[in-house]
């Protein structure tokens, strides 16, 4: 397939919501919304001058494809140089918008013949860092440190950790193995220059992190994976045109999708339940950070749910819109049948079908427009993340204590302790079962459970978290989300604190018996991760959110999670 491939199809089956969405589209038409969008007309979103100024300064994503197409030869040339220099593996290190695109592309394309195997490091969990270190050929690995601001604590720590490792092998030639992607003028440019990084890709100051998929942040890793980035961009360009880049378009898919999501959220259907085939599951991670961080603020927002178990209509309330993103040629019958049943039962359903993985270029752009449009319906600035800082500030305070006292401050006594697990929450209960009953007893229709695992991601733990979500869905009919910390802090974390007060937060932590020191710093990766957990818990509580922290102690994380499941089965029986 070439660049003239038609757009991936989009079908909206909105049932009783159709008239309200059509009315919104008429309002947009009367307002000349599409023209205004492309002209960066910030009063489409908010009325205050400061907000408008901030909006205008983050709209570079609209035309970033045009800026990147001429850069394709330069990126491809760089990949050839890297391969000629003998590199055999790539590790991308970054958080949120700076690392999500390679995660999606790596899964969707699989290992391509001309590409390099690629890992993504976006967690401070010592087990995960060690796992990556043990799996890579260190001397022949290219480390891509990706940070727009150049100040995010995690990627800087990952960079320092692996730079120290490389220094042991190559002395002052360590920088040959490092590449930076960052904004012009960031303080990281100075560091990368001093450390003689192989290459520094300067991105665009007016492209925000979560809107950066089609900039250097997404495209350099994509090219290293062996993906045809020119076609990826051309598919995005076709979508740009359909969304009005060259003048109002007949049917604007981004506008229609965004209008539908915005209106549905206003009417209480604020849980965007994403359904995808197995080989697109990581697309959900990307969508979460885009939609949740852009819309989840001022007590409103759209909560994207990736991996919420797909069930029969009876378990769902009226807070859902189901979005299926799959491949035209892949039957994926189980999912599609369930979606059809949900639509027949009156739930709004949106279906997007791709021709192949290169269509992800178009999808990135479609969803960016839709997110901006939905934000206009909700009347919020899609390009800021005012509540992400709360967790960072609380974590920084804790890290200062660690620097002074060598450890995190003691926490108060747990509400209950049982079978090696400690339960911390403000509801009372003298056993695990009683605490869990009281915690989940607070749930109301329209609420969601969010499992926040500051643990090492493994297939076994994923399976346990899936089971936990299934249990809560079946017994309580709650929407369920799950994320690994600190990854979700740079993604759905904004919604948790800035969105509506509908979340129940179940945080899982551990002692990190096998910890890993961070060279040149007075703390370990494990302490860093636990400070992030404690900082976010503090921030959630400061916002009055309902929280339960379960500390799994020193035992195996999997066994601890299993123990929690046993207690939960009893509590929800
Ligand atoms: O690319 P960076 O500046 O390091 O930022 C990485 C991430 O950090 C923050 O938490 C933002 O909320 C995200 O939108 C961003 O993508």
């Amino acid at each position: 397939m070439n660049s003239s491939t038609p757009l991936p199809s989009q079908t909206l089956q909105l049932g009783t919501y159709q008239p309200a969405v059509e009315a919104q589209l008429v309002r947009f038409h009367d307002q000349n919304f599409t023209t205004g969008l492309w002209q960066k007309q910030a009063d489409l979103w908010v009325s205050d001058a400061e907000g408008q100024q901030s909006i205008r300064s983050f709209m570079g994503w609209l035309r970033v494809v045009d800026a990147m197409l001429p850069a394709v030869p330069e990126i491809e040339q760089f990949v050839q140089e890297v391969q000629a220099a003998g590199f055999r593996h790539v590790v991308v290190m970054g958080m949120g918008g700076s690392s999500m695109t390679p995660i999606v592309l790596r899964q969707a394309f699989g290992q391509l013949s001309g590409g390099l195997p690629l890992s993504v490091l976006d967690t401070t969990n010592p087990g995960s860092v060690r796992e990556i270190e043990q799996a890579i050929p260190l001397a022949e690995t290219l480390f891509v440190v990706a940070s727009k601001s150049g100040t995010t604590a995690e990627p800087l720590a990952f960079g320092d950790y692996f730079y120290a490792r490389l220094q042991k092998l190559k002395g002052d030639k360590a920088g040959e193995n490092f590449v930076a992607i960052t904004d012009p003028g960031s303080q990281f440019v100075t560091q990368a220059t001093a450390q003689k990084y192989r290459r520094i890709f300067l991105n665009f100051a007016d492209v925000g992190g979560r809107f950066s998929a089609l900039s250097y942040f997404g495209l350099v890793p994509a090219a290293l994976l062996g993906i045809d980035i020119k076609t990826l961009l051309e598919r995005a360009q076709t979508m740009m045109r359909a969304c009005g880049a060259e003048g109002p378009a007949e049917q604007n898919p981004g506008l229609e999708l965004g209008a539908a999501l915005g209106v549905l959220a206003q009417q209480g259907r604020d849980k965007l339940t994403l359904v995808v085939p197995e080989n697109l599951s990581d697309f959900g991670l990307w969508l979460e950070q885009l939609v949740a961080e852009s819309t989840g603020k001022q007590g409103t927002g759209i909560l994207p749910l990736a991996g919420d178990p797909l069930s029969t209509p009876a378990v769902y309330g009226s807070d859902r819109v189901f979005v299926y993103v799959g491949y035209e040629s892949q039957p994926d019958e189980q999912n599609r049948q369930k979606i059809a049943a949900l639509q027949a039962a009156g739930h709004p359903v949106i279906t997007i079908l791709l021709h192949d993985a290169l269509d992800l270029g178009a999808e990135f752009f479609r969803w960016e427009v839709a997110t901006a449009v939905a934000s206009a319906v909700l009347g919020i600035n899609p390009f800021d993340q005012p509540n992400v800082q709360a967790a960072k500030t609380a974590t920084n305070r804790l890290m200062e204590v660690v620097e002074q006292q060598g450890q995190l401050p003691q926490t108060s006594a747990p509400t209950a302790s049982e079978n090696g697990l400690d339960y911390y929450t403000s509801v009372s209960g003298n056993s695990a079962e009683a605490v869990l009953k009281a915690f989940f007893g607070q749930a109301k229709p329209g609420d969601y459970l969010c499992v926040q695992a500051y643990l090492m991601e493994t297939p076994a733990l994923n399976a346990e978290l899936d089971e936990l979500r299934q249990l809560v869905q079946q017994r309580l009919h709650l929407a369920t989300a799950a994320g690994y910390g600190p990854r979700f802090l740079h993604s759905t974390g904004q919604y948790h604190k800035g969105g509506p007060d509908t979340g129940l937060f179940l945080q899982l932590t551990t002692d990190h018996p096998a910890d890993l020191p961070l060279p040149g710093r007075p703390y370990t990766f494990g302490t860093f991760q636990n400070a992030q957990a404690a900082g976010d818990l503090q921030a959630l509580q400061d916002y009055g959110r309902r929280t339960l922290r379960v500390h799994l102690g020193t035992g195996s994380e999997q066994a601890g999670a299993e123990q929690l499941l046993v207690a939960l089965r009893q509590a929800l029986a």
Side-chain angles (χ1 to χ4, degrees):
M1 256 180 246
N2 57 35
S3 57
S4 60
T5 304
L7 288 176
S9 68
Q10 170 175 293
T11 316
L12 281 69
Q13 295 166 291
L14 304 176
T16 55
Y17 298 90
Q18 184 70 29
V21 174
E22 271 166 22
Q24 179 62 55
L25 286 167
V26 169
R27 280 196 292 282
F28 277 149
H29 183 261
D30 294 346
Q31 220 184 344
N32 265 330
F33 185 94
T34 303
T35 308
L37 169 78
W38 288 94
Q39 289 176 352
K40 308 182 185 175
Q41 195 187 310
D43 64 354
L44 296 173
W45 288 274
V46 296
S47 52
D48 67 294
E50 200 186 323
Q52 291 184 0
Q53 178 55 36
S54 132
I55 287 175
R56 273 190 297 272
S57 56
F58 283 111
M59 293 195 72
W61 58 274
L62 277 169
R63 301 267 178 205
V64 77
V65 170
D66 295 339
M68 290 311 296
L69 271 163
V72 167
E74 168 211 351
I75 298 175
E76 287 180 341
Q77 168 83 32
F78 165 75
V79 173
Q80 279 172 17
E81 280 166 26
V82 161
Q83 290 187 327
F87 286 101
R88 292 193 290 127
H89 199 100
V90 178
V91 179
V92 175
M93 310 192 279
M95 302 308 294
S98 296
S99 58
M100 282 299 168
T101 309
I103 294 180
V104 178
L105 295 176
R106 179 185 58 174
Q107 181 194 45
F109 283 88
Q111 190 60 57
L112 297 172
S113 55
L116 292 168
L118 182 145
S119 318
V120 174
L121 177 57
D122 66 347
T123 174
T124 45
N125 181 277
S128 305
V129 177
R130 189 178 287 115
E131 185 184 49
I132 286 189
E133 186 174 352
Q134 285 169 353
I136 57 173
L138 192 60
E140 291 149 343
T141 294
L142 186 74
F143 294 91
V144 180
V145 186
S147 174
K148 173 182 168 60
S149 61
T151 56
T152 303
E154 296 94 330
L156 296 180
F158 306 148
D160 289 351
Y161 177 83
F162 281 104
Y163 193 87
R165 286 283 188 271
L166 259 301
Q167 258 181 331
K168 282 199 183 130
L169 290 181
K170 301 176 75 168
D172 63 3
K173 289 206 159 70
E176 286 176 348
N177 289 50
F178 286 80
V179 172
I181 309 176
T182 188
D183 271 5
S186 86
Q187 69 184 49
F188 182 47
V189 173
T190 316
Q191 178 184 337
T193 308
Q195 292 185 326
K196 300 199 184 80
Y197 270 34
R198 167 175 285 273
R199 183 71 175 257
I200 301 174
F201 287 102
L202 294 178
N203 212 57
F204 309 93
D206 59 354
V207 177
R210 52 191 179 274
F211 287 79
S212 67
L214 297 163
S215 72
Y216 285 104
F217 282 103
L219 294 174
V220 171
L224 288 163
L225 278 164
I227 295 168
D228 170 3
I229 56 170
K230 181 165 176 280
T231 304
L232 195 75
L233 285 168
E234 284 168 349
R235 300 275 180 98
Q237 207 171 39
T238 309
M239 183 60 83
M240 279 173 70
R241 288 193 193 111
C243 292
E246 292 168 7
E250 182 100 337
Q251 265 205 320
N252 178 334
L255 187 79
E256 288 185 5
L257 178 59
L261 295 174
V263 168
L264 287 164
Q266 277 179 326
Q267 305 216 3
R269 294 207 176 247
D270 61 354
K271 317 264 178 349
L272 190 174
T273 311
L274 182 72
V275 183
V276 284
E278 197 51 45
N279 51 2
L280 274 179
S281 61
D282 287 341
F283 182 68
L285 290 174
W286 181 82
L287 198 68
E288 275 181 340
Q289 57 93 39
L290 176 70
V291 177
E293 203 174 61
S294 301
T295 68
K297 55 198 69 157
Q298 295 174 29
T300 183
I302 298 167
L303 179 65
L305 297 171
D308 194 25
L310 189 59
S311 193
T312 51
V315 305
Y316 297 110
S318 54
D319 58 344
R320 306 281 188 143
V321 46
F322 294 90
V323 178
Y324 180 80
V325 179
Y327 289 110
E328 200 177 59
S329 57
Q330 189 182 336
D332 194 17
E333 269 171 27
Q334 266 205 348
N335 277 334
R336 292 200 198 184
Q337 277 171 9
K338 285 185 179 168
I339 285 279
L342 289 162
Q343 196 256 324
H347 289 283
V349 167
I350 296 169
T351 306
I352 293 172
L353 295 177
L354 319 188
H355 304 98
D356 54 33
L358 284 164
D359 268 351
L360 284 168
E363 284 319 298
F364 292 140
F365 197 79
R366 178 205 308 270
W367 282 96
E368 286 169 2
V369 173
T371 301
V373 171
S375 301
V377 176
L378 297 174
I380 45 143
N381 173 358
F383 308 117
D384 67 358
Q385 49 284 330
N387 309 99
V388 170
Q389 192 54 40
K392 287 186 190 169
T393 306
T395 300
N396 290 343
R397 252 186 250 126
L398 290 167
M399 293 310 284
E400 278 166 25
V401 176
V402 172
E403 295 200 11
Q404 284 154 14
Q405 299 172 9
Q407 58 181 22
L408 282 165
Q410 291 291 319
T411 44
S412 51
T415 313
S417 296
E418 210 172 287
N419 296 323
L421 271 53
D422 294 325
Y423 296 75
Y424 299 85
T425 181
S426 58
V427 292
S428 51
N430 52 11
S431 66
E433 188 184 330
V435 165
L436 288 165
K437 258 195 181 132
F439 176 68
F440 283 102
Q442 305 171 98
K444 300 183 298 297
D447 283 352
Y448 66 99
L449 166 73
C450 178
V451 186
Q452 308 183 324
Y454 288 84
L455 306 174
M456 177 175 171
E457 182 171 1
T458 61
L461 190 61
N462 278 333
E464 285 183 328
L465 298 187
D466 284 347
E467 205 179 322
L468 195 154
R469 292 172 78 176
Q470 193 109 34
L471 190 65
V472 170
Q473 183 193 64
Q474 292 299 323
R475 299 281 158 81
L476 301 175
H477 295 188
L478 282 187
T480 73
Y484 283 92
R487 176 193 285 156
F488 76 83
L489 292 177
H490 302 270
S491 162
T492 47
Q494 167 59 37
Y495 183 97
H496 300 157
K497 292 166 293 258
D501 183 10
T502 47
L504 285 106
F505 299 95
L506 171 60
Q507 188 188 82
L508 307 179
T509 55
T510 158
D511 281 334
H512 302 298
D515 210 342
L516 204 59
L518 254 161
R521 294 168 202 232
Y523 51 84
T524 59
F525 271 109
T527 304
F528 189 9
Q529 191 180 30
N530 282 350
Q532 292 180 299
D536 193 44
L537 193 68
Q538 185 60 55
L540 288 166
Q541 288 167 352
D542 289 346
Y543 282 98
R545 302 302 192 235
R546 295 159 286 179
T547 64
L548 166 63
R549 170 184 170 222
V550 181
H551 187 63
L552 307 180
T554 49
S556 105
E557 295 178 3
Q558 207 190 320
E562 179 54 43
Q563 200 59 54
L564 174 62
L565 264 171
V566 170
L568 193 62
R569 277 190 211 103
Q570 282 166 0
L572 302 184

